[in-house]
Amino acid sequence: MDNTRTENIGTLVVLGATGDLTSRLLLPGLGRLLTEQPERRISLIGADVAPRDGRQWAEVVRAAFDSVDATGPAVEHTMAHTDYLVTDASSAEDLGQVLASATGIPALYFALPPGVTARAVRALHQHEIPEGTVLALEKPFGLDQAGAAELNRELTSLVPEDQVFRVDHFLGKSTVLNILGLRFANHLFEPLLHRDHVAKVEIVYDEILGLEDRAGYYDRAGAMVDMIQSHLLQVMALVTMDAPLSVHAADLRAAKTEALRAVRPFAGDPAAAGRRARYTAGTIGERRLPSYAEEEGVDPARGTETLAEVTLESATWRWAGVPFVLRSGKALGTARREIAITFRGVPHLPSGLDGAIPPTVLRIGLGPDAMTLELNVNGPGDPFVLDRSRLTAEFGTGRLNPYGEVLNGLLDRDPSLSIRGEAAEQAWGIIDQIRAAWQTGRVPLEEYPAGSDGPGRWASTG
Ligand code: BG6
C-alpha cells in the first residue's frame, strides 16, 4: 500500500453507479488513469438504488476496465477494494452508510440527474462531512442561474469551494487544454487574437449522433443546455481570457471566470443572438432516423431544440465587436468539431497578384485533435496566382481520455479543470437571457432533416 498520497482521495464513491455515464465514461476513465499511475491506491464504492451485489458490481467495473485495456497494480488494487452499496441518494441514512464505508478521504461523484443530485446534497447536510471530502457534480449544474446559485450555496455550506468539482469533461480534452499552450507559449498568435485582426470566431460541435436512448435527459435539456451552457462557453472562456499568472487552479479558474463575466449576447440583443432547430426524419450514412418529435420518450410539446446556435461577444477592450458563434447539434450530416478563428481580410492586394483571397483561418480541431492554418500563398504553377494552402498538425491522443483527466484532478484534489461556482452561474446568466427570448416565441423552432447540415437558410459559415 502506497501511503505517499495520504492527502489524496482514498475512496471514490460513485452515486448513480448503475447509470450509463458510470459504465460508458467514468469507469473507463478511471481504468486509463490507474493504468497510467500504477502507484495510485483507490477504493471504489458503487452506490445506487438498483439491487446489485458486490460481485455483479465488480463485473461491471472489470468490463469497463477491460474496454480500455486497463492493467497493472493500481487497477488490481481497486478491483480488490471495490464494493456496491444499495443506496437511495436522497436518503440521509443511506448516505451516512456510504460515508461510513469509505476509507481515507472520500470523493462523492454525483453521476445523477440534477433533481436527484440536489436532494442528495440537501440530505448530506444531516451529516458531519469528513475533512477534505470532495463533491463532484456532473452537468447540468442546476437548471438555470437561480438554481445554480442555490446549489452553490448548499454545496459551499458543506465543504469549501475548492472541494466542489463542477465537472466539464471538455476541460479534460487535450486539444482544449492545448489552447493554453498555443496562446501563451508562442508569440505568433497571441498578439493577433484581438479585435483589430479577428473578424469572427466559431466554436462548433456538430455531431452525427442522434439521441442514443437519452431522451429522458436530453428532452429536458436540449442542445443549448447540453452543450453550449457548459462545454462551449468554457472553450470560449479559454479563447478569450487574458493570460493567467499560472495554470494552477486559482489563477486559471479566476481568469476563466473573469472572461465569462464579459460575455453577453452579441450587440446586447438576446432575441437576435440565438437560433434553434430540431431534426426531422432523415438518413445519416446507413442509419435512418425518425423525426426527433417521434423518438421514444420525447414530448414534442416541450419544443426541445436539437441544434442551437448563439452569437456572443466578449465586452472587453480586446474583443469588443467580434462575433463568437457557438453552435452544437445532433443528427447532422457532418461531424464538425472545431474552433475556427477567421482573421480580417488584407487591406490591399498588390496589383498583379491574381486569385481569390479568402481570409486566413486558424482551425483548432476538437476531435480529431489537429490544428490547421489556412493561408493564401503563391502556389504551384503560375507564381503570380494565389492558391490556398493548409498547414496542418495532427496531435496524438492525450495520455488520458477526458474523464481520466477529470478524475485525475479529482483524486488529487486539484480543481484546475473544474468550474468555479461563480463561473457556473455566469454561464447560466448568458444562456438564460437567450432562452427567455425563445420562450416569448420571437425565435422560431426551425427544422432540418437528420443527416443535413442544418436548416437550409442557416447557410454554413464554416
Ligand atoms: C456530453 C453531452 O456532455 O458531451 C453529449 O451530454 C455529447 O450530448 C457529448 O454528445 C460530446 O462530447 P464527446 O467528448 O463525447 O464528443
Side-chain angles (χ1 to χ4, degrees), residues 4 47 64 69 79 83 103 119 131 148 155 179 196 203 205 232 259 298 319 325 355 393 429 432:
T4 56
D69 297 324
M79 286 308 310
D83 204 358
T103 49
R119 288 201 294 280
E131 182 83 26
L155 286 163
I179 297 169
D196 290 348
I203 302 175
Y205 211 83
L232 301 194
V298 164
W319 289 114
V325 181
D432 282 355

Side-chain angles (χ1 to χ4, degrees), residues 98-289:
V98 167
L99 287 173
S101 309
T103 49
I105 302 173
L108 304 188
Y109 199 116
F110 299 82
L112 296 167
V116 187
T117 297
R119 288 201 294 280
V121 169
R122 233 162 281 141
L124 276 177
H125 278 89
Q126 298 189 29
H127 292 284
E128 195 68 41
I129 305 297
E131 182 83 26
T133 300
V134 161
L135 305 177
L137 291 92
E138 271 292 329
K139 68 157 217 326
F141 183 82
L143 294 170
D144 55 20
Q145 191 176 26
E150 172 65 22
L151 191 52
N152 275 334
R153 274 191 295 276
E154 295 207 3
L155 286 163
T156 49
S157 65
L158 280 174
V159 299
E161 166 66 26
D162 271 7
Q163 290 162 223
V164 180
F165 281 61
R166 297 168 194 83
V167 171
D168 191 308
H169 81 280
F170 264 50
L171 296 174
K173 284 183 188 271
S174 42
T175 29
V176 170
L177 291 173
N178 232 333
I179 297 169
L180 297 174
L182 179 73
R183 289 192 56 198
F184 304 126
N186 296 285
H187 200 280
L188 183 61
F189 298 113
E190 192 52 21
L192 299 180
L193 295 180
H194 188 278
R195 66 190 310 274
D196 290 348
H197 307 290
V198 173
K200 71 171 171 195
V201 178
E202 293 155 277
I203 302 175
V204 178
Y205 211 83
D206 281 354
E207 299 183 280
I208 53 178
L209 293 178
L211 255 190
E212 310 290 313
D213 300 325
R214 294 166 76 215
Y217 152 74
Y218 193 88
D219 199 40
R220 288 182 167 76
M224 179 84 120
V225 167
D226 184 45
M227 293 297 293
I228 296 182
Q229 186 278 333
S230 50
H231 307 319
L232 301 194
L233 275 173
Q234 287 299 313
V235 175
M236 178 172 172
L238 288 172
V239 174
T240 56
M241 72 183 188
D242 284 329
L245 283 179
S246 78
V247 293
H248 300 313
D251 293 332
L252 183 59
R253 295 189 339 147
K256 279 202 294 126
T257 305
E258 191 63 18
L260 279 177
R261 224 154 66 83
V263 176
R264 57 173 202 164
F266 192 74
D269 184 347
R275 302 199 278 195
R276 57 184 178 142
R278 74 177 169 191
Y279 62 82
T280 52
T283 306
I284 308 173
E286 307 277 277
R287 278 187 311 144
R288 175 95 196 136
L289 257 66

Side-chain angles (χ1 to χ4, degrees), residues 48-131:
D48 213 334
V49 271
R52 297 268 190 288
D53 61 29
R55 198 181 43 80
Q56 288 168 314
W57 166 247
E59 278 168 16
V60 171
V61 178
R62 179 64 84 183
F65 283 0
D66 284 350
S67 73
V68 291
D69 297 324
T71 52
V75 167
E76 292 316 319
H77 178 92
T78 297
M79 286 308 310
H81 294 82
T82 190
D83 204 358
Y84 182 86
L85 297 176
V86 178
T87 307
D88 171 357
S90 50
S91 147
E93 194 186 329
D94 286 8
L95 289 173
Q97 252 191 331
V98 167
L99 287 173
S101 309
T103 49
I105 302 173
L108 304 188
Y109 199 116
F110 299 82
L112 296 167
V116 187
T117 297
R119 288 201 294 280
V121 169
R122 233 162 281 141
L124 276 177
H125 278 89
Q126 298 189 29
H127 292 284
E128 195 68 41
I129 305 297
E131 182 83 26

